[in-house]
Amino acid sequence: MSEATTSRTTAPGSDRSMIEIDHLNKWYGSFHVLRDINLTVARGERIVICGPSGSGKSTMIRCINHLEEHQQGSIVVNGVPMTNDVKRIEQIRRNVGMVFQHFNLFPHLSVLENCCLSQIWVQKKPRAEAEKTAMEYLERVQIADQALKYPGQLSGGQQQRVAIARALCMRPEVMLFDEPTSALDPEMIKEVLDVMVELAHEGMTMLCVTHEMGFAKTVADRVIFMDQGQIIEEAPPNEFFNNPRSERTQLFLSQILGH
Amino acid sequence: MTTNSTFRTEMIEAREAPNQSRGVLGWLRANLFNGPINSIVSVVVIVLLARLVWPFLEWAVIEADFLGTTRQDCTGDGACWVFISARFETIVYGFYPEALRWRVDIVFALLAILVAWLAVPKTPRKKWVALFTLVGFPIIAYFLLVGGYFGLQHVPTRAWGGLMLTLTIAVVGIVGSLPLGIILALGRRSKMPFVKGICVIFIEFWRGVPLITVLFMASVMLPLFVPGNFDFDKLLRALIGIMFFWSAYMAEVIRSGLQAIGKGQNEAGQALGLSYWHRTGLIILPQALKLVIPGIVNTFIALFKDTSLVLIIGLFDLLAIIRAGLTDSNWLGFSTEGYVFAAAVFWVFCFSMSRYSQYIERRLNTGHKR
């Protein structure tokens, strides 16, 4: 009953796609968690991935920067194919930023140090330059005045904004968001979504796993619905929300848009 | 007015707490006398302490004799600390030749300065001092204590003893077991089967045998296995055995800290492109070590006290030197003073380590408030 509407269109004006996932299959032991995933993401495209819990959405985006290993299929990020070779993996990770549901800021470092850490040790920048870049991005997410505070002293929304700035400091070409607002109090969701919307408007390639359908409607180029490890439906937002073709998608939307 | 909703128009200003809940009186009231049962227990304990502590103070301080050279100077009813003060040099330096004791003094003083520099918070250039302490100081200490080079006379290690020997063993043990323990803990958590296997075998072996057996085997059996006339210095054997033994304990303490760090920390480091060693050294270890400071200091304290076991292989640490003094016919019958003094010295060192670790924990508490 699965409708394999896998569109492989690339956005106009780009010469090469940013991410190419081809026949991706993953097992956790004997559990087949990702089943034949095919997805192409063009440069500057914004993809929102939604679906019931356990559908494999987080697993799929975590495969893109090798936080999860895949057993079959191929992933190519910006022309670099993903293998099990550490050097290759680190090369891809330098270009892919990730924002986690539970922020994962480093609690023993200040906000500024959190943002500088990878610049200094991976990009080998001198400290002054790293701090300058860090302050630039901290200002963009409007948290520059908290630069010397520690993550434990910040609210959830502030921490998540710092996490976004930290990922951006590496100047990645792709940003992955794994349910970035799911652990936030409702009044803080907006400040994080605002940052993400601004990022989208600046042309960042984004893959976002989220339940925030308002965000999807505003910003997404494509919305993908996943269930049981497969991509069930994939369409631009107006088509996806107004005219879902699969029954499963319709059921899911009725549940999630109900309140 | 009967309404079923409330609406505050003026905010209440903060006021001072009532007198009875503040100050010494307040503390006494809240902690010792905050109920009938607690009050009775407090009174009983205070009386007990008075009956135990006062006689001890009488014996140890008030009626004791501190200075003198022979047992004839012990005239009072209390403790005869003359036993300690007369033999003080031996207790501190062991059998180190008298004329060369200045070398031990230099090493002691240097160690004290370095430890103070590292311990006090705001001192500059800590990283260089730490490097010097780990690399330069041991070399200097070795050449000064052992001698044989640079015109210094050689002093064999069997002449070392007393507090000097205890501190040497403890410092070498502590400074050696911590890094080795960290490496073993990381290795045990590794996914590479060879590395993990070696670390597991090392840890389980050294944890499985008693330290006294280790020292005994190192002293008696090692020469049987080593070819030819290669004479492994006895103290060196003991130091290696102690270091390996305690590093196994330390590894498990550190491993528990590593396990407590959430997966997300490592993943965030991976997502930023950091390598394994960068992630471990910059993100995971700082947090894990901070978490297990109580366990680490616990191990250090146990190590310090277990240095006494070298008695079994004929090395005269602080306790052994005092015991040796007790068999001297001039000083029979003062074993209480001897053991109380030894206990006091150990207690001072161990308690200092304990207090310092609590101080460190408080200072490093910035990151733990989630």
Side-chain angles (χ1 to χ4, degrees):
Chain A
M1 217 210 74
S2 65
E3 299 169 53
T5 46
T6 51
S7 57
R8 286 177 184 256
T9 52
T10 52
S14 63
D15 38 5
R16 175 179 67 187
S17 47
M18 199 68 215
I19 301 177
E20 273 169 40
I21 302 178
D22 201 40
H23 294 295
L24 184 68
N25 279 286
K26 180 179 167 61
W27 283 264
Y28 277 137
S30 55
F31 176 56
H32 198 176
V33 60
L34 289 177
R35 309 183 194 186
D36 202 47
I37 303 277
N38 295 293
L39 178 65
T40 305
V41 180
R43 186 178 296 275
E45 216 181 340
R46 286 96 57 173
I47 312 259
V48 165
I49 305 165
C50 60
S53 60
S55 55
K57 357 181 251 302
S58 292
T59 312
M60 182 181 80
I61 67 166
R62 282 158 64 92
C63 283
I64 295 176
N65 67 351
H66 208 265
L67 287 183
E68 303 282 354
E69 264 181 40
H70 60 276
Q71 282 79 36
Q72 277 180 18
S74 76
I75 303 178
V76 180
V77 180
N78 204 17
V80 180
M82 173 84 71
T83 60
N84 278 337
D85 174 35
V86 169
K87 286 275 172 284
R88 192 56 66 78
I89 294 172
E90 282 175 8
Q91 184 189 3
I92 290 180
R93 283 176 179 164
R94 283 195 280 271
N95 218 5
V96 175
M98 184 154 192
V99 175
F100 298 86
Q101 181 176 359
H102 295 288
F103 332 135
N104 289 336
L105 291 180
F106 306 134
H108 59 299
L109 301 175
S110 70
V111 161
L112 187 62
E113 285 163 359
N114 260 276
C115 295
C116 290
L117 188 73
S118 194
Q119 291 182 71
I120 294 175
W121 293 96
V122 177
Q123 294 176 336
K124 317 264 192 251
K125 284 188 189 172
R127 178 157 267 274
E129 197 188 321
E131 286 190 3
K132 192 157 154 288
T133 311
M135 286 308 291
E136 198 185 300
Y137 284 107
L138 288 174
E139 266 165 39
R140 271 180 58 178
V141 301
Q142 281 144 24
I143 206 154
D145 51 333
Q146 316 278 355
L148 296 178
K149 288 222 177 124
Y150 284 82
Q153 298 168 297
L154 301 178
S155 74
Q158 291 172 320
Q159 288 186 52
Q160 193 62 299
R161 283 186 281 145
V162 172
I164 296 176
R166 179 180 67 173
L168 290 175
C169 281
M170 296 294 285
R171 303 198 203 265
E173 292 183 285
V174 182
M175 282 286 277
L176 305 174
F177 292 86
D178 188 0
E179 305 210 34
T181 55
S182 296
L184 295 177
D185 292 337
E187 64 263 22
M188 294 188 222
I189 294 181
K190 180 179 186 306
E191 63 190 64
V192 173
L193 287 181
D194 284 344
V195 168
M196 289 166 64
V197 167
E198 218 192 287
L199 201 56
H201 285 323
E202 287 164 11
M204 172 69 74
T205 313
M206 288 165 63
L207 268 90
C208 193
V209 174
T210 184
H211 298 297
E212 295 292 324
M213 294 299 124
F215 174 75
K217 285 183 192 161
T218 317
V219 142
D221 292 313
R222 269 189 283 164
V223 182
I224 293 178
F225 174 69
M226 276 180 75
D227 192 11
Q228 292 186 9
Q230 305 151 59
I231 293 181
I232 308 287
E233 188 160 346
E234 197 183 316
N238 51 5
E239 231 183 275
F240 184 85
F241 290 111
N242 298 328
N243 209 1
R245 300 211 320 253
S246 158
E247 257 179 55
R248 280 217 200 99
T249 319
Q250 293 165 11
L251 177 62
F252 176 74
L253 283 177
S254 71
Q255 289 168 337
I256 199 175
L257 294 175
H259 60 282
Chain B
M1 236 191 305
T2 48
T3 54
N4 45 11
S5 62
T6 54
F7 174 56
R8 182 172 291 286
T9 48
E10 276 176 22
M11 299 299 281
I12 303 179
E13 291 282 318
R15 289 193 314 252
E16 278 204 0
N19 235 337
Q20 290 182 336
S21 64
R22 298 184 290 154
V24 176
L25 224 53
W27 185 90
L28 281 177
R29 221 187 170 78
N31 291 297
L32 295 183
F33 298 106
N34 59 347
I37 297 187
N38 278 343
S39 303
I40 295 176
V41 171
S42 297
V43 169
V44 167
V45 170
I46 290 175
V47 167
L48 262 176
L49 281 178
R51 298 204 65 177
L52 290 172
V53 173
W54 183 249
F56 177 75
L57 278 179
E58 266 189 332
W59 174 81
V61 180
I62 299 176
E63 291 171 13
D65 299 295
F66 288 90
L67 295 172
T69 43
T70 66
R71 79 183 284 156
Q72 272 64 45
D73 293 318
C74 286
T75 47
D77 288 329
C80 185
W81 298 117
V82 183
F83 168 57
I84 304 292
S85 52
R87 299 182 58 83
F88 196 69
E89 302 262 308
T90 314
I91 289 175
V92 172
Y93 297 104
F95 308 117
Y96 212 89
E98 212 174 308
L100 304 172
R101 282 177 182 164
W102 57 272
R103 287 153 54 174
V104 182
D105 289 335
I106 292 183
V107 174
F108 270 173
L110 195 54
L111 182 66
I113 293 175
L114 289 173
V115 167
W117 194 295
L118 291 174
V120 169
K122 296 269 193 279
T123 48
R125 303 198 176 287
K126 269 222 171 59
K127 288 208 168 71
W128 290 112
V129 174
L131 197 64
F132 176 73
T133 313
L134 289 175
V135 179
F137 172 72
I139 299 178
I140 295 179
Y142 175 80
F143 281 126
L144 273 174
L145 291 173
V146 176
Y149 301 92
F150 303 119
L152 293 170
Q153 191 184 338
H154 175 71
V155 179
T157 55
R158 61 190 137 72
W160 299 14
L163 184 61
M164 171 226 155
L165 183 63
T166 297
L167 285 180
T168 304
I169 300 175
V171 168
V172 170
I174 287 174
V175 169
S177 65
L178 186 57
L180 190 54
I182 293 177
I183 292 176
L184 287 167
L186 292 174
R188 188 163 183 165
R189 278 167 57 88
S190 159
K191 291 199 186 75
M192 297 183 273
F194 183 65
V195 172
K196 180 173 176 158
I198 291 194
C199 290
V200 169
I201 292 175
F202 186 98
I203 293 173
E204 296 304 334
F205 172 74
W206 289 101
R207 269 202 317 176
V209 290
L211 181 55
I212 217 169
T213 318
V214 169
L215 291 173
F216 208 63
M217 285 188 355
S219 151
V220 169
M221 294 186 59
L222 195 61
L224 298 176
F225 293 110
V226 170
N229 287 326
F230 187 61
D231 183 28
F232 230 117
D233 181 271
K234 192 157 63 167
L235 176 61
L236 185 60
R237 284 181 237 157
L239 288 174
I240 292 177
I242 287 176
M243 194 164 76
F244 282 0
F245 179 85
W246 287 106
S247 66
Y249 278 80
M250 193 64 80
E252 290 298 278
V253 169
I254 292 171
R255 191 166 70 91
S256 68
L258 292 172
Q259 280 176 187
I261 304 296
K263 216 167 51 123
Q265 289 292 301
N266 201 31
E267 287 182 352
Q270 287 175 311
L272 287 170
L274 290 162
S275 73
Y276 171 80
W277 290 108
H278 283 147
R279 292 196 306 267
T280 307
L282 297 168
I283 299 170
I284 307 292
L285 270 183
Q287 294 183 61
L289 290 177
K290 211 192 293 187
L291 211 58
V292 292
I293 287 177
I296 291 179
V297 174
N298 212 32
T299 309
F300 283 170
I301 289 178
L303 193 167
F304 191 91
K305 293 187 295 182
D306 271 6
T307 55
S308 296
L309 289 174
V310 295
L311 167 62
I312 209 83
I313 54 173
L315 289 170
F316 284 86
D317 79 305
L318 176 73
L319 189 61
I321 281 270
I322 290 178
R323 292 188 70 199
L326 289 172
T327 59
D328 184 343
S329 54
N330 287 327
W331 295 101
L332 288 174
F334 292 121
S335 48
T336 319
E337 282 84 343
Y339 290 127
V340 168
F341 177 72
V345 173
F346 275 107
W347 189 84
V348 164
F349 279 100
C350 295
F351 188 64
S352 307
M353 284 196 268
S354 172
R355 292 302 302 178
Y356 184 65
S357 91
Q358 284 168 20
Y359 166 73
I360 287 288
E361 278 194 89
R362 262 177 313 194
R363 262 183 50 98
L364 294 178
N365 237 344
T366 45
H368 277 257
K369 304 183 189 64
R370 296 248 165 133

